[in-house]
Amino acid sequence: KPETSTPNNQIFKDSEYNTKTRFSKTNFQSASILTGIIYDETGDRLSPVHAIKNKVKYRYYISNRLSNYGSSKTDGWRLPAKQLEQPILNILNEHLTKPLKLGGLINLKNLCVNEHQLILNAATTLAQKLNNSSAINQKKIIASFVQRIELQPSKLIIDIETERLQKLLVDEQAFAIETISNGELAIKRIEVNHYIRKRGVEAKLVLVDHPTKKPNPDDYLILLVAKAHLWLTKLNDGTASSIAELVKKLNEDPNEISRFLPLAFLAPDIVEHILAGTQPVDLTIQKLRDIPTLPTSWSEQRAILGIAA
């Protein structure tokens, strides 16, 4: 089957983070905003786990059957947490801030003009809270009106509890109306097609025909660029006279330093994109690993990394 229509089993098989030895469940559940409400196409819950590499924790969601120690199953999902959470936040944000989308979730037809505007304002305020809150509060907000999320091979399904959403929006503006519901089903379903883009052992969930302009910073990519500049600074100021000495002083992997030190010479606009989270969706650490030699020419860097000049 084509990669874009199946759970990316090979990513799990090839991963250097083998679930039997490296994955573990932790209190990362508090930082994982979809805990308890997201399932795969078999009905198996996606559980938050983490893997540790070079003292850095990487969050993932994996099908629960894959997280059981001793399990030999590989037919499941494994996705970096932010690559699953951000598209879902984008979808919810769009449905809260666009009147036509919001009207598909709750009935706005019987409201007067003033009430209609108050509900739209309340929805926008709720979206702002969702986008700007801590992970713990994002989790509470999502759970307050999202009943269930299902990740299928080519589709993402979000079930919204309309009456609970309605109550949130009415309470937000502290005014009373009899009802927004007109006897329609209490659950409204949002369906968005997606495909999985694979780069080495990493995967990204890409929504089809859905706005992707919202910045999506990659914390680990940002950290790597920052480290590269730190390494270069210490080599230039005499703190370390060689990579070998740098390895001893910072207790870093020598292969990592050798491979990623050239990131200190990235074009300024590329660094700006990375810091702002507007880099191409496939610009990942794994993609950088796969580049034999990073060009010193900024124009060549832009071409190879997919950054518009």
Side-chain angles (χ1 to χ4, degrees):
K1 295 181 180 179
E3 177 185 315
T4 56
S5 63
T6 60
N8 211 324
N9 298 336
Q10 195 59 40
I11 293 176
F12 182 80
K13 293 176 184 177
D14 292 345
S15 172
E16 59 186 304
Y17 308 118
N18 185 285
T19 58
K20 295 180 182 178
T21 58
R22 295 291 185 99
F23 278 127
S24 63
K25 294 182 179 180
T26 67
N27 59 3
F28 264 58
Q29 289 192 5
S30 62
S32 301
I33 64 177
L34 306 177
T35 302
I37 62 171
I38 186 161
Y39 299 80
D40 66 19
E41 74 280 7
T42 71
D44 197 12
R45 180 172 290 174
L46 294 182
S47 300
V49 297
H50 79 272
I52 299 177
K53 184 183 179 184
N54 295 334
K55 300 181 181 180
V56 178
K57 289 185 177 181
Y58 297 83
R59 290 193 305 118
Y60 295 85
Y61 287 94
I62 68 174
S63 297
N64 196 53
R65 58 188 175 278
L66 300 179
S67 65
N68 295 325
Y69 291 104
S71 172
S72 60
K73 296 181 178 180
T74 58
D75 59 329
W77 290 92
R78 168 192 175 269
L79 282 171
K82 294 193 76 171
Q83 305 308 328
L84 182 56
E85 292 169 349
Q86 193 59 59
I88 290 172
L89 288 172
N90 291 349
I91 293 169
L92 295 177
N93 181 74
E94 184 184 25
H95 280 74
L96 288 172
T97 57
K98 293 188 176 181
L100 289 178
K101 297 282 188 180
L102 183 63
L105 300 179
I106 59 178
N107 178 31
L108 302 174
K109 296 177 183 178
N110 298 327
L111 299 179
C112 68
V113 173
N114 182 54
E115 291 172 341
H116 189 280
Q117 189 58 53
L118 286 172
I119 288 293
L120 296 181
N121 292 343
T124 299
T125 299
L126 183 61
Q128 291 171 345
K129 285 184 177 180
L130 183 59
N131 291 329
N132 300 323
S133 294
S134 65
I136 292 177
N137 287 331
Q138 284 181 321
K139 179 179 176 182
K140 290 179 180 178
I141 293 171
I142 292 173
S144 68
F145 67 94
V146 175
Q147 182 195 57
R148 175 187 172 97
I149 300 172
E150 184 173 310
L151 180 61
Q152 295 186 358
S154 59
K155 184 182 296 184
L156 188 63
I157 298 174
I158 305 176
D159 287 339
I160 304 294
E161 295 191 48
T162 57
E163 291 184 4
R164 292 176 67 181
L165 176 58
Q166 166 191 323
K167 187 175 187 302
L168 277 175
L169 300 183
V170 172
D171 289 348
E172 183 69 34
Q173 289 296 333
F175 74 97
I177 57 176
E178 290 184 5
T179 180
I180 299 178
S181 173
N182 62 355
E184 296 179 356
L185 292 176
I187 300 295
K188 288 288 186 178
R189 175 161 288 184
I190 301 172
E191 297 187 3
V192 180
N193 293 328
H194 73 79
Y195 66 91
I196 298 296
R197 177 174 291 170
K198 179 182 175 183
R199 289 295 182 271
V201 300
E202 296 185 16
K204 287 182 179 287
L205 185 145
V206 182
L207 303 181
V208 179
D209 298 326
H210 193 82
T212 56
K213 293 182 181 179
K214 184 176 176 61
N216 186 17
D218 184 331
D219 292 341
Y220 308 117
L221 187 57
I222 292 172
L223 176 62
L224 198 58
V225 172
K227 279 189 171 184
H229 281 273
L230 173 65
W231 298 334
L232 182 62
T233 297
K234 290 190 176 298
L235 288 170
N236 287 337
D237 67 13
T239 302
S241 59
S242 65
I243 289 179
E245 189 176 349
L246 198 60
V247 168
K248 290 181 180 178
K249 288 182 177 293
L250 300 181
N251 193 30
E252 294 277 8
D253 184 334
N255 294 325
E256 294 289 290
I257 293 181
S258 297
R259 178 172 292 277
F260 293 121
L261 181 59
L263 294 182
F265 302 98
L266 281 174
D269 58 308
I270 296 177
V271 175
E272 288 178 6
H273 277 294
I274 292 173
L275 294 177
T278 55
Q279 74 279 2
V281 69
D282 63 345
L283 178 46
T284 65
I285 291 177
Q286 187 60 45
K287 179 172 183 175
L288 293 174
R289 287 184 191 278
D290 293 340
I291 298 174
T293 303
L294 186 69
T296 55
S297 163
W298 288 352
S299 60
E300 291 180 18
Q301 289 177 5
R302 295 185 189 102
I304 199 170
L305 297 178
I307 301 287

